[in-house]
Amino acid sequence: MVNHFITSIRYLKKMVPKVIFVLGGPGAGKGTQCQNIVKEYGFVHLSAGDLLREERRNPNSEYGELIENYIREGLIVPVDITCSLLERAMHQSSKDSFLIDGFPRNQDNFDGWKRRMSEKVDLLFVLFFDCPLEICTERCLRRGAEGSGRADDNVESLKKRFNTYQQETKPVIDYYSSLNLVKRIDATNNAIQVFEDIKNLFRAYNIQSQNH
Ligand code: C5P
Ligand code: MG
């Protein structure tokens, strides 16, 4: 009976999806490193920005135009839209470990997640890519020039995105910091070094590589 109970608890625990939030300024390297983490550790990468861009491209979406405008202005889309996209992607996945990139980006994102999702998942930590504005700008402009195809990789949109980051995202990071949940990565280094730092961090958390 007791054994059965313990087994059930383990089973339930296993079913609770694990989440790492990935935050940092635009161009800090979140997307690049998330791809590395996916390959090495088998997490599922859910980029809030990518999900919104995909939704915008869907001709049947009632939110296409709203999303388009918010993204161009570097503003944060109302959380019910973003949270629904994240929730749907998590449900559709057969895996149970998620890197949620670019979320929660402001108080509204934070509150909506808390209301709808926080009790259904296990937040491991917040991976914070710390990178000064000048380096971020340089990277985004290079990405734009190399044909990222993003309507917001230009000087005008970037100014707005940075502003939003400073005003709205930084306080969310500070809040998680006060809960001791933020793992800071020096994102000014080159991508190889940054990934070494991430691997060390994951090792400390006993997150196993799937490549051996
Ligand atoms: O993370 P990424 O740079 O791809 O995000 C691009 C844009 O998508 C943001 O500037 C913002 O307009 C929108 N976004 C959002 N809410 C999020 C993440 C992204 O509105 N949580
Ligand atoms: Mg991104």
Side-chain angles (χ1 to χ4, degrees):
M1 182 64 191
V2 173
N3 273 348
H4 177 68
F5 182 65
I6 291 171
T7 315
S8 309
I9 296 222
R10 286 220 181 99
Y11 180 70
L12 283 174
K13 246 193 124 147
K14 206 174 146 205
M15 298 305 288
V16 176
K18 292 186 190 62
V19 165
I20 296 174
F21 286 142
V22 182
L23 291 173
K30 304 185 293 290
T32 306
Q33 296 301 335
C34 281
Q35 285 173 12
N36 289 339
I37 296 170
V38 167
K39 275 192 220 132
E40 184 81 22
Y41 299 97
F43 276 68
V44 175
H45 177 209
L46 299 179
S47 155
D50 287 350
L51 288 168
L52 288 165
R53 282 184 284 272
E54 194 184 308
E55 179 70 11
R56 179 187 57 185
R57 282 194 299 271
N58 171 4
N60 300 319
S61 168
E62 54 181 307
Y63 304 119
E65 203 177 316
L66 180 150
I67 294 172
E68 168 85 29
N69 293 333
Y70 272 74
I71 289 185
R72 198 179 338 97
E73 294 302 315
L75 296 171
I76 307 301
V77 172
V79 69
D80 277 331
I81 299 176
T82 316
C83 211
S84 299
L85 296 173
L86 287 169
E87 196 172 3
R88 185 173 70 195
M90 288 171 79
H91 277 306
Q92 283 172 350
S93 168
S94 56
K95 298 202 178 162
D96 67 355
S97 303
F98 300 94
L99 286 172
I100 301 191
D101 159 11
F103 187 95
R105 270 293 230 283
N106 65 0
Q107 186 70 38
D108 176 56
N109 274 189
F110 178 89
D111 292 339
W113 177 267
K114 191 166 172 201
R115 196 169 58 239
R116 296 176 52 160
M117 297 296 290
S118 66
E119 283 178 7
K120 299 184 201 159
V121 305
D122 182 11
L123 175 64
L124 300 183
F125 49 81
V126 177
L127 192 59
F128 168 43
F129 287 84
D130 198 3
C131 195
L133 194 144
E134 303 76 53
I135 297 184
C136 284
T137 309
E138 201 182 291
R139 288 181 185 165
C140 286
L141 291 179
R142 198 183 322 137
R143 181 169 76 183
E146 285 167 359
S148 69
R150 286 182 52 156
D152 59 354
D153 280 339
N154 57 73
V155 177
E156 266 320 291
S157 290
L158 269 171
K159 273 191 202 137
K160 296 173 182 165
R161 289 162 69 194
F162 277 121
N163 201 28
T164 302
Y165 172 68
Q166 294 289 356
Q167 304 291 324
E168 300 189 40
T169 311
K170 259 330 229 346
V172 175
I173 298 171
D174 291 342
Y175 174 73
Y176 280 122
S177 236
S178 75
L179 301 180
N180 234 340
L181 276 172
V182 172
K183 305 297 155 197
R184 178 189 167 276
I185 294 285
D186 181 351
T188 59
N189 292 323
N190 65 51
I192 293 169
Q193 181 58 48
V194 172
F195 191 48
E196 285 305 314
D197 294 344
I198 291 174
K199 283 194 277 194
N200 286 332
L201 173 72
F202 276 40
R203 209 169 290 126
Y205 270 80
N206 226 354
I207 300 172
Q208 308 286 334
S209 161
Q210 58 170 17
N211 298 333
H212 52 234

